[in-house]
Amino acid sequence: MTASYDPKVYDTKWQQRWAADHLYEADETSDRPRWYALTMFPYTSGDLHIGHWYAMVPSDVHARFKRMQGYNVMHPMGFDAFGLPAENAAIKRGIHPFQWTMKNIENMRRQLKSMGAIYDWDREVVTCLPEYYRWTQWFFLKLYEAGLAYRAKAPVNWCPGCRTVLANEQVISGECERCATPVIHQDLEQWFFRITRYADELARHDGIDWPERIKIMQRNWVGKSRGTEISFAFDHPAVKDKELRVFTTRPDTVYGVTFMVLAPEHPLVEKITTPEQKAAVEAYIARSRRETEIERLSTEKEKDGVFTGAYVTNRLTGDKVPLWIADYVLASYGTGVVMAVPAHDQRDFDFARKYNLLVKVVISPPGWSGEELKEAYVETGTLVNSGQFNGMASDKAIGAITGYLEKQGWGKATVSYRIRDWLISRQRYWGAPIPIIYCDKCGIVPVPEKDLPVLLPEDAEFKPGGESPLKYASHFVNTTCPKCGGPAKRETDTMDTFMCSSWYFLRYCSPHEKDRAFDHEKVKYWMPVDLYTGGAEHAVMHLLYARFFVKAIRDIGLVDFGEPFKKLFNQGIIIAQRQKMSKSRGNVINPDSYVAELGVDAVRTYLMFLGPWEQGGEWDDRGMGGTDRWLKRVWNLVMEPYQTDRPADEKALKDLKRLTHQTIRKVTEDFDGMHFNTMIAALMEFTNDLIKIKEAGSVSVADWEEAIQTLLLLLAPTAPHLTEELWERTGRPYSIHNQKWPVWDAELAKEEEITLVVQVNGKLRDRITLPAGISEEEIKLRALASDKVKTHLVGKELVKVIVAGGRLVNLVVK
RNA sequence: GCCGAAGUGGCGGAACUGGUAGACGCGACAGUCUCAAAAACUGUUGGAGGGCAACUUCCGUGUCGGUUCGAGCCCGACCUUCGGCACCA
């Protein structure tokens, strides 16, 4: 009687042993090639659901595979621990965010340990601990010194009820998520990072292996567009500048400008509005302030605006053009002013219709003979009503007009970006305080490095309204100016948590450094990350910020690379009951009970098997029954002794070797291509074949043992506990995870026989088993000799014979 | 509206570079074991038709066309689902 399969016992047995032996700890002194395998660290929300496991298990399995292949693997784990939910818990339940977060981390760490991953826990990083955020603050100072951090007024979502600023995610259809007060826009002094300075480089992904999809999303986010800046003559007693500049991608339509539109927030508006228009303009601005970004940008909304009473002159035509304001113009893009060409832009067209403004055609639509347009003609075409440029094609005119403007000093070719500078200020408690002091005498003074970290006051009072408690922590706010020693006040805003996650991968390289953010030598050894895996939802936030951050510190001279992640892989998402898992839907699957019932290897294996990793899939308990059954079969296959009284059979041995080496090849190649579901399928097939071979009993015990050994090695990354237990029980030396990954022998894997596929006019008619490497001539003869084929040739004329790949023949008949 | 991904049995999914569609698993059905059930094991399982039978014919990868000796894969048009962006001048 063999011992029965009891995963609960050996899950903990081996996890304890591996931890005690420090089996998976990485160091930099190895002479093996390094491999930095990184999974996006989780936010400390409380517990991990199966979706987290789906992100983590396959990346662990892959890292284990690399480790067995001889790489010096670092696979660290940590916690993204600052953020709003902790603060909300504090407000709602009176728990301090620190306690709430640390309690969650404890539970998540327990869950992660039960996963049986090769995480090097000695390197754990927790972003809310002073030993970490001290360096987050230090990096802020570095960016500030480099001129990459600046303070400016910017509109924010303001909740008059809570008297605080809200993040975009907290604004639900224009209302505060907490008190349902309509949110308005208000200008506040905020800190920004100059990510736009890196716009060009961020839109390129030179030398990195990322999914095309993500690269496209990032390029669109950066939104580079080439165009022309055009100066319009402007003469107004209240304004010093004698011009108003606009950005356009269609300078070929400049002769068709019939009005101009400024963003309502444009600083000029106040100065140029005529007394008659003042009331209307002010009302309009007040209204658009009240509106949220979402409402304001809604495509369904009809375009409206107000005339300011002022005019500019189009230098090319000499026309006087009225200046309007409208909220479809964004202050933050281009110059905050657009030249309106209603004939060739649909928005301008709608606007012109509404207010009876002139529509002047300057690009002739095909077949146009001067009639009124029913909609804007936005395509390119031939220029008309455009002075010296008449008759020119649009694409030519773009260059010609820009050239002409440049010569006259009226404009220049330029590039505009959609991306905005990164607003990092949060009016929140639970984040890294921005290390800045305001002094009446000295102005903005950065906290000296030696005074870091700027610690969060522990005894802050959490207001039910959600207002930042830092503002009211007087012993925190009131300080002395590091420059003049006079009384000064601290910045009370904290940093966006994306700042914390922009450098955690550097900290993992030397997590215990006390006197610096990281050890340069160690970072040089490990970085950039070889394989970064995580959800695609971070495509344009975290992944763009982290790239910016690394480029910035490269230029500061802190690192010598500009891309943090060499290869990126996005897994899909796990759904449950046809819906995305979420607490509010109540369909969250917790892995703990499955682990307790079936053992962690069955859960790991099922997650690998349920579909292609990049596609995700639906969680189905019954499917996991299948992987559990398979692991049991493997257990029985290995544990029940192989017996044979038959003499070894030469052919059976060859078959077994071929099967083994074909499996090694398939599994290895699937690992390299991240095709984990087919990798498992190949191992299942191998198991099924081995069961049959065992029944037949026609190979020697030694040959059998070798095949079993290969099966265990190939399965080890996926089911580390089961294979370790079997490895031990079959008398093999600890640990299977320190063994070498099997290598296939192409000669042994080669097929000896082929199945010749015979088609007549592309339809399958027969299959013939033949020795491999047979000549084309022979293939033709054998195909024509087939009885099944003959019946389809009767009365037909053989036109052509096509032999493909030495294993398929197509007879073309008429 | 724009950008991107994907549509294959009852279900999850396989199919290298244009060459045997449905690997592997789930479910279902039948059987073995059992007093019985569960578990386990064995077999069948895309659809329709024909034959006592070993078998065999036709249809079949979202829809409609095309290229090709041959298309799930390539090209064109469309439909559906999902993800992202959303007045960016």
Side-chain angles (χ1 to χ4, degrees):
Chain A
M1 190 59 200
T2 54
S4 66
Y5 171 79
D6 188 7
K8 280 155 288 203
V9 176
Y10 51 73
D11 278 359
T12 35
K13 167 184 163 186
W14 291 114
Q15 281 167 19
Q16 282 165 8
R17 175 91 187 263
W18 297 330
D21 294 346
H22 304 278
L23 196 67
Y24 304 124
E25 281 175 19
D27 73 275
E28 298 79 24
T29 58
S30 165
D31 49 10
R32 293 176 297 163
R34 75 114 214 273
W35 184 263
Y36 188 172
L38 183 65
T39 299
M40 289 178 189
F41 65 170
Y43 174 69
T44 49
S45 57
D47 33 21
L48 298 173
H49 57 68
I50 211 73
H52 292 101
W53 278 51
Y54 193 59
M56 292 165 179
V57 164
S59 78
D60 174 64
V61 175
H62 188 266
R64 285 175 171 276
F65 158 73
K66 287 306 236 188
R67 199 173 165 278
M68 286 177 81
Q69 273 197 325
Y71 287 87
N72 181 31
V73 173
M74 173 162 79
H75 192 36
M77 185 44 69
F79 299 96
D80 184 16
F82 270 140
L84 216 66
E87 208 164 328
N88 287 342
I91 294 159
K92 254 191 230 154
R93 286 180 274 161
I95 315 165
H96 192 279
F98 181 81
Q99 259 128 40
W100 185 83
T101 304
M102 295 317 272
K103 205 187 90 226
N104 287 348
I105 288 178
E106 222 170 281
N107 183 46
M108 291 167 79
R109 200 189 283 126
R110 171 193 63 76
Q111 287 184 297
L112 286 165
K113 286 189 175 173
S114 79
M115 203 163 80
I118 59 169
Y119 298 135
D120 181 349
W121 286 104
D122 187 51
R123 291 175 185 269
E124 182 191 83
V125 152
V126 178
T127 61
C128 70
L129 297 178
E131 66 214 51
Y132 183 87
Y133 73 71
R134 168 190 186 157
W135 300 111
T136 308
Q137 293 173 334
W138 182 80
F139 280 117
F140 174 91
L141 295 178
K142 293 292 131 188
L143 294 184
Y144 180 73
E145 283 167 24
L148 290 169
Y150 68 94
R151 207 163 123 89
K153 227 176 204 176
V156 293
N157 298 308
W158 177 258
C159 171
C162 304
R163 289 168 45 240
T164 190
V165 162
L166 302 175
N168 282 335
E169 307 84 65
Q170 296 174 285
V171 183
I172 313 293
S173 51
E175 295 177 344
C176 171
E177 65 165 3
R178 204 177 293 110
C179 67
T181 309
V183 169
I184 61 165
H185 284 149
Q186 210 182 53
D187 286 341
L188 272 190
E189 287 283 335
Q190 309 267 304
W191 283 94
F192 291 86
F193 285 154
R194 259 183 236 287
I195 193 171
T196 49
R197 190 178 282 181
Y198 289 87
D200 249 321
E201 205 185 340
L202 289 168
R204 289 198 313 264
H205 300 82
D206 300 338
I208 55 176
D209 179 10
W210 280 33
E212 204 53 40
R213 197 162 58 94
I214 303 295
K215 292 197 280 186
I216 290 169
M217 272 196 234
Q218 292 203 339
R219 273 203 300 273
N220 291 345
W221 190 265
V222 171
K224 180 177 181 170
S225 59
R226 293 174 191 286
T228 306
E229 202 170 81
I230 302 177
S231 163
F232 283 74
F234 186 46
D235 193 11
H236 194 283
V239 183
K240 227 168 78 194
D241 275 343
K242 295 300 166 211
E243 62 168 359
L244 190 60
R245 288 180 302 170
V246 300
F247 173 79
T248 180
T249 54
R250 290 295 300 273
D252 55 319
T253 64
V254 69
Y255 283 82
V257 174
T258 57
F259 60 103
M260 305 272 275
V261 189
L262 284 87
E265 304 90 331
H266 199 284
L268 232 45
V269 174
E270 206 188 325
K271 296 178 190 163
I272 61 171
T273 305
T274 56
E276 309 82 71
Q277 294 301 110
K278 203 172 174 72
V281 166
E282 274 170 7
Y284 187 82
I285 292 171
R287 203 201 69 197
S288 71
R289 273 194 170 282
R290 240 188 348 263
E291 286 180 331
T292 64
E293 196 83 2
I294 304 152
E295 285 168 352
R296 193 175 142 179
L297 298 184
S298 157
T299 14
E300 276 90 78
K301 208 190 105 177
E302 199 182 335
K303 280 149 200 46
D304 61 3
V306 182
F307 180 44
T308 63
Y311 293 86
V312 293
T313 307
N314 185 346
R315 301 188 204 261
L316 289 144
T317 58
D319 291 345
K320 236 178 124 193
V321 175
L323 275 173
W324 286 65
I325 60 168
D327 59 11
Y328 75 87
V329 175
L330 306 172
S332 50
Y333 184 79
T335 62
V337 188
V338 301
M339 57 176 222
V341 186
H344 307 294
D345 181 287
Q346 195 56 44
R347 291 160 302 185
D348 299 343
F349 186 87
D350 295 342
F351 197 85
R353 273 285 171 85
K354 187 172 166 95
Y355 297 107
N356 274 319
L357 295 158
L358 213 62
V359 178
K360 180 181 172 194
V361 175
V362 290
I363 308 288
S364 169
W368 182 72
S369 51
E371 69 273 14
E372 214 174 286
L373 296 181
K374 291 202 173 60
E375 56 180 7
Y377 176 71
V378 298
E379 308 298 317
T380 53
T382 307
L383 272 70
V384 293
N385 297 325
S386 297
Q388 56 173 303
F389 301 99
N390 279 340
M392 207 180 258
S394 289
D395 29 341
K396 265 213 175 135
I398 288 172
I401 291 178
T402 303
Y404 178 74
L405 290 168
E406 275 173 359
K407 218 184 282 163
Q408 301 293 319
W410 295 344
K412 58 172 198 281
T414 183
V415 173
S416 207
Y417 298 93
R418 203 193 76 111
I419 192 172
R420 320 278 165 80
D421 274 339
W422 174 13
L423 195 167
I424 59 145
S425 296
R426 295 290 179 272
Q427 290 69 35
R428 290 285 151 192
Y429 171 81
W430 197 231
I434 295 173
I436 289 287
I437 290 168
Y438 302 103
C439 169
D440 282 342
K441 256 195 253 160
C442 312
I444 296 174
V445 182
V447 173
E449 281 180 33
K450 65 172 172 48
D451 294 340
L452 295 181
V454 176
L455 288 171
L456 285 167
E458 281 171 38
D459 56 351
E461 209 184 307
F462 294 93
K463 310 262 170 178
E467 228 174 329
S468 171
L470 290 180
K471 270 194 201 161
Y472 298 90
S474 55
H475 55 288
F476 174 84
V477 176
N478 296 315
T479 185
T480 51
C481 171
K483 250 192 198 162
C484 69
K489 289 196 186 303
R490 280 190 196 283
E491 167 67 65
T492 56
D493 284 355
T494 53
M495 281 183 250
D496 181 2
T497 55
F498 281 120
M499 177 65 182
C500 308
S501 54
S502 285
W503 73 281
Y504 77 109
F505 43 88
L506 299 174
R507 187 66 183 175
Y508 280 142
C509 300
S510 54
H512 306 298
E513 282 294 323
K514 290 241 169 2
D515 304 323
R516 47 188 175 170
F518 56 82
D519 176 326
H520 292 85
E521 284 310 307
K522 289 180 177 171
V523 162
K524 205 166 184 172
Y525 177 81
W526 289 113
M527 287 295 293
V529 171
D530 292 284
L531 176 61
Y532 194 31
T533 61
E537 68 273 18
H538 292 111
V540 286
M541 304 286 268
H542 164 57
L543 288 170
L544 204 63
Y545 294 142
R547 289 181 66 220
F548 154 71
F549 181 89
V550 165
K551 288 173 198 307
I553 65 167
R554 172 202 60 197
D555 292 347
I556 291 167
L558 297 172
V559 295
D560 55 7
F561 51 88
E563 289 290 352
F565 317 119
K566 237 192 265 180
K567 185 180 165 99
L568 175 74
F569 190 94
N570 295 115
Q571 79 275 354
I573 51 169
I574 287 272
I575 56 169
Q577 293 145 29
R578 312 202 143 264
Q579 285 192 302
K580 203 169 165 174
M581 252 178 247
S582 74
K583 272 187 185 162
S584 55
R585 287 198 186 88
N587 63 346
V588 173
I589 309 267
N590 186 302
D592 292 0
S593 58
Y594 292 101
V595 170
E597 191 193 341
L598 301 171
V600 68
D601 288 341
V603 180
R604 290 172 63 102
T605 308
Y606 177 60
L607 289 171
M608 299 287 281
F609 184 60
L610 95 180
W613 197 28
E614 67 270 30
Q615 273 173 40
E618 171 132 26
W619 175 264
D620 182 356
D621 293 24
R622 290 173 304 187
M624 208 175 53
T627 50
D628 176 51
R629 269 200 286 275
W630 173 52
L631 294 181
K632 264 183 206 142
R633 285 214 306 279
V634 171
W635 174 273
N636 293 331
L637 183 73
V638 176
M639 288 302 291
E640 285 163 12
Y642 178 80
Q643 286 160 334
T644 182
D645 42 16
R646 299 178 53 184
D649 173 340
E650 194 65 20
K651 180 167 183 309
L653 175 60
K654 259 194 153 170
D655 288 347
L656 175 62
K657 291 256 185 212
R658 187 173 54 248
L659 216 56
T660 306
H661 285 262
Q662 283 180 347
T663 305
I664 298 170
R665 181 176 61 200
K666 172 75 176 152
V667 169
T668 307
E669 285 173 355
D670 276 352
F671 259 117
D672 286 332
M674 314 285 275
H675 305 307
F676 302 133
N677 56 330
T678 51
M679 182 273 284
I680 299 290
L683 286 176
M684 285 175 167
E685 261 181 282
F686 188 43
T687 309
N688 295 343
D689 290 332
L690 286 177
I691 288 168
K692 281 181 197 126
I693 288 166
K694 192 177 193 180
E695 278 165 13
S698 35
V699 295
S700 73
V701 173
D703 291 327
W704 171 257
E705 283 299 316
E706 200 188 303
I708 286 296
Q709 174 149 329
T710 305
L711 173 67
L712 290 177
L713 289 170
L714 295 178
L715 181 57
T718 307
H721 310 81
L722 167 78
T723 51
E724 186 79 287
E725 181 73 17
L726 287 171
W727 194 257
E728 184 189 54
R729 282 176 187 260
T730 51
R732 293 172 163 93
Y734 175 82
S735 157
I736 190 172
H737 303 298
N738 284 340
Q739 304 302 314
K740 273 215 192 94
W741 187 254
V743 177
W744 76 89
D745 180 330
E747 218 26 66
L748 292 174
K750 219 179 215 169
E751 288 287 354
E752 293 191 312
E753 291 179 331
I754 56 144
T755 304
L756 178 70
V757 175
V758 187
Q759 299 179 336
V760 176
N761 284 348
K763 284 196 174 175
L764 175 71
R765 292 306 175 193
D766 198 9
R767 288 167 217 207
I768 308 168
T769 303
L770 293 172
I774 194 169
S775 75
E776 276 199 22
E777 220 24 63
E778 184 77 5
I779 285 174
K780 284 181 197 171
L781 289 174
R782 296 296 294 258
L784 289 166
S786 155
D787 290 339
K788 288 177 187 168
V789 169
K790 277 180 187 162
T791 60
H792 293 278
L793 297 181
V794 177
K796 306 265 172 70
E797 186 198 340
L798 187 65
V799 185
K800 211 176 177 184
V801 180
I802 291 154
V803 181
R807 58 195 180 92
L808 180 139
V809 58
N810 189 12
L811 307 172
V812 186
V813 298
K814 247 199 309 207

